Amino acid sequence: MSQQPDHEVIIVGGGLSGIGVAIVLDRAGFSDYLLLEEGDGFGGAWHWNTYPGVGVDIPSFSYQFSFEQLSGWSRVYAPGAELKAYAEHCVDKYDVRRRSRLNARVSDTEFDDELDLWRVRLANGEMVTGRFLVSATGVLTKPKKPEIPGVDDFRGTMIHTARWDHSVDLTGKRVGIIGTGASAVQIIPSIAPQVEQLTVFQRTPIWCLPKPDAPLPWPVRTVLGLVPGSKAVARLAAQSYVEVTFPLAAHFHGYLPTASAGEKLGHLHLRRSVRDPEVRRKLTPNYSLGCKRPSFSNVYLKTFNRDNVLLDVDPIASVTADGVQTTSGTEHELDVLILATGFKVFEKGNMPPFPVTGSGGADLENFWLTHRFQAYHGVSVPAFPNLFSVLGPYGYNGSSYFNLIETQSRHIVRLLETARKRRATRVEVTERANAAYFASVLARRDKQVFFQGQCSTANSYYFDEHGDVPLRPSSTLETMWDANHFPLQDYTFT
Ligand code: NAP
């Protein structure tokens, strides 16, 4: 067996995280990488999510790489197809495609303690090896089917939002949708004018805030394209807006009044949008803003004024062959049932999405089950040498994913550069550094909305089974500083 790995780095995931890591590594002189993607195209969330109305919830100026800023976005909040095209554009421009394999699903990975490399087994039985392994697999990727009695008995058409079937024509159909999360908020207003009847089954109302969205006409795009610095200014403005509305509001809730101002805005938006006071009442959240992912839309709430849209908040008793029955005994006959029921998050088999066996046979899923979710800066876990994550526990602070991708890539590049300089083949975070980081994030939780606010009625996927919220309690500037300055002594290079 060869003593040398096939590649210096294997990157798992062809979403924007994997693409970003590949580009940053390449620019830093680590060009021998192989990117593995289980789908048949690049873009991750934007490859799989093609439902009507899909689009980004963060202004596009900040939802792009700092080194590849476009001026041609059609709107302040770009539609999903433009993000998918952006991913493909980056793949081609930065020569990622040539070093990638699509339809390559990883089935399991194992660290070889003798040779200091990762063995990555693919679903087709093939094995590839890499000195370093980067997990860029995202979290919200595996569609979740609701555990509702009879859900498999429905005789009509059933579609999950993340696997939209474009051959289904909703025109004139009786459509039901289960769920009112961020996906449903975009789908409901998009399909309501087309269908005969739309019944929305809501379990927990979502906070819905106005979206400062608008088309970007050609003069604006021209200015952005031609005037030096204009894209940077737009990016800074967008970034600051995002920073105030999520990371700062959530993590520094104890110091800032942002969340209560946001709640007032949410209530005002609801009052202005929905005419019927009873419908308004049903759409009013009974938990603090920030406990779960809020939504942004100027059209979602207004859709409930339509005559062909019904909001049913009775718990669902079962899905029948013909539709949905609620506990009050009402049966809604449906032609199409849309499952806007989200994704697996902390469920077994999702984090990580394939078995990861580290040094001495350590299993990553078991490690997290036993020790709670934790990773040094969200990147590294002791006993899992040469493995780095983009979206590990306590890595993401809730800002634009592109900040996360770039800061975690910077962290990884510093490690790889140091390993190269010291001729090390094994890079491992120390238990002491990991424990200190975990203690530091836990010490900040008393200021977070998740632990200060009224979250028990939110049904939020932010909370894991230990009651922890593995988001990074930091401002974006702090995450950037950390990536550039974390002490290299926190790792061993051997
Ligand atoms: P989600 O936020 O997890 O929402 C799932 C919805 O389904 C919730 O309303 C949930 O109710 C409901 N549900 C689940 N199981 C149910 C059951 N058995 N009976 C009744 N209702 C049930 O999923 P999502 O809307 O797909 O969004 C997931 C995440 O993807 C978002 O939070 C966001 O991070 C991302 N996303 C982003 C964008 C964007 O940027 N534009 C768009 C879409 C999605 P409960 O609330 O009671 O659990």
Side-chain angles (χ1 to χ4, degrees):
M1 196 183 288
S2 166
Q3 305 284 300
Q4 289 303 316
D6 301 327
H7 298 278
E8 189 166 19
V9 186
I10 293 180
I11 302 166
V12 186
L16 288 157
S17 307
I19 295 168
V21 171
I23 297 171
V24 174
L25 285 179
D26 196 31
R27 288 157 65 112
F30 298 91
S31 51
D32 175 19
Y33 67 78
L34 173 68
L35 184 150
L36 300 169
E37 163 57 44
E38 71 169 320
D40 60 0
F42 295 93
W46 307 106
H47 175 72
W48 293 106
N49 287 272
T50 61
Y51 57 76
V54 63
V56 70
D57 264 358
I58 281 184
S60 302
F61 305 119
S62 58
Y63 200 81
Q64 54 183 340
F65 295 117
S66 60
F67 51 81
E68 186 58 31
Q69 297 188 46
L70 301 189
S71 55
W73 301 109
S74 67
R75 309 187 62 85
V76 175
Y77 291 80
E82 289 183 30
L83 271 312
K84 163 75 179 158
Y86 178 72
E88 299 281 351
H89 159 79
C90 291
V91 161
D92 286 326
K93 178 166 174 183
Y94 294 93
D95 199 21
V96 178
R97 196 180 297 276
R98 184 175 56 84
R99 289 170 276 188
S100 301
R101 283 175 61 180
L102 298 175
N103 300 304
R105 187 166 69 76
V106 170
S107 61
D108 63 87
T109 59
E110 192 174 357
F111 187 67
D112 183 324
D113 270 310
E114 263 176 43
L115 300 180
D116 288 343
L117 52 78
W118 280 93
R119 299 185 187 287
V120 178
R121 199 188 317 274
L122 303 181
N124 67 3
E126 213 180 315
M127 177 89 83
V128 282
T129 58
R131 176 73 68 215
F132 301 102
L133 178 63
V134 176
S135 170
T137 48
V139 172
L140 303 167
T141 56
K142 291 190 180 166
K144 193 163 73 180
K145 206 171 185 181
E147 287 168 10
I148 298 175
V151 71
D152 291 320
D153 300 340
F154 184 58
R155 278 193 308 225
T157 304
M158 195 154 74
I159 319 176
H160 192 283
T161 56
R163 296 291 180 273
W164 197 260
D165 181 348
H166 290 273
S167 69
V168 177
D169 182 6
L170 299 178
T171 312
K173 299 269 168 56
R174 297 164 304 172
V175 178
I177 180 164
I178 302 179
T180 52
S183 301
V185 164
Q186 297 186 325
I187 293 175
I188 288 167
S190 306
I191 63 171
Q194 185 191 357
V195 305
E196 181 192 307
Q197 172 71 35
L198 180 62
T199 308
V200 178
F201 299 97
Q202 172 188 276
R203 189 164 66 181
T204 310
I206 189 165
W207 277 104
C208 182
L209 300 171
K211 193 168 183 172
D213 192 16
L216 290 172
W218 69 263
V220 176
R221 299 206 297 260
T222 308
V223 168
L224 284 170
L226 293 180
V227 178
S230 59
K231 279 186 290 200
V233 171
R235 184 183 176 82
L236 186 64
Q239 203 93 290
S240 310
Y241 167 72
V242 174
E243 191 70 8
V244 171
T245 50
F246 192 81
L248 297 186
H251 304 310
F252 302 97
H253 178 262
Y255 303 112
L256 297 170
T258 332
S260 65
E263 287 186 6
K264 282 194 189 111
L265 182 63
H267 286 302
L268 180 68
H269 190 40
L270 188 55
R271 270 201 308 280
R272 283 194 175 157
S273 305
V274 180
R275 284 194 297 268
D276 183 332
E278 179 56 14
V279 177
R280 257 195 330 251
R281 187 189 61 76
K282 291 177 180 173
L283 288 166
T284 304
N286 64 345
Y287 56 88
S288 305
L289 174 66
C291 291
K292 76 191 294 181
R293 163 68 152 80
S295 67
F296 303 87
S297 173
N298 302 326
V299 284
Y300 169 68
L301 295 170
K302 283 184 186 156
T303 309
F304 292 96
N305 295 326
R306 295 181 63 95
D307 290 338
N308 71 334
V309 175
L310 177 75
L311 176 67
D312 195 333
V313 297
D314 286 336
I316 296 173
S318 64
V319 176
T320 65
D322 300 317
V324 169
Q325 188 156 36
T326 62
T327 50
S328 65
T330 310
E331 174 134 21
H332 298 272
E333 289 199 359
L334 303 170
D335 304 309
V336 179
L337 180 57
I338 299 170
L339 303 179
T341 45
F343 302 87
K344 291 186 176 167
V345 184
F346 297 113
E347 285 91 340
K348 240 179 165 322
N350 192 50
M351 275 183 66
F354 40 77
V356 175
T357 309
S359 181
D363 176 78
L364 186 55
E365 185 165 71
N366 277 342
F367 175 85
W368 279 334
L369 271 178
T370 318
H371 300 278
R372 298 156 68 177
F373 280 99
Q374 52 179 296
Y376 177 75
H377 292 200
V379 174
S380 307
V381 181
F384 294 86
N386 298 7
L387 169 69
F388 312 119
S389 298
V390 178
L391 204 58
Y394 300 101
Y396 178 48
N397 77 336
S399 173
S400 164
Y401 273 113
F402 286 81
N403 282 315
L404 173 80
I405 299 166
E406 292 189 32
T407 46
Q408 305 305 62
S409 299
R410 176 72 196 122
H411 187 120
I412 296 166
V413 162
R414 281 186 71 208
L415 296 177
L416 266 54
E417 282 174 344
T418 310
R420 193 176 265 185
K421 217 182 304 166
R422 299 185 191 176
R423 295 176 175 276
T425 54
R426 182 174 169 129
V427 178
E428 188 173 355
V429 69
T430 66
E431 284 190 19
R432 183 199 48 77
N434 179 65
Y437 179 72
F438 189 42
S440 75
V441 293
L442 295 184
R444 288 186 176 193
R445 64 163 47 173
D446 64 320
K447 294 289 175 285
Q448 289 180 299
V449 67
F450 318 117
F451 301 97
Q452 276 210 334
Q454 155 52 31
C455 289
S456 60
T457 47
N459 247 356
S460 171
Y461 69 72
Y462 289 165
F463 292 80
D464 68 15
E465 63 175 51
H466 306 286
D468 295 333
V469 177
L471 289 169
R472 188 172 188 159
S474 308
S475 68
T476 300
L477 280 178
E478 189 182 357
T479 66
M480 290 161 78
W481 170 271
D482 283 350
N484 283 305
H485 298 92
F486 69 86
L488 289 166
Q489 307 89 282
D490 283 352
Y491 282 84
T492 55
F493 296 83
T494 46

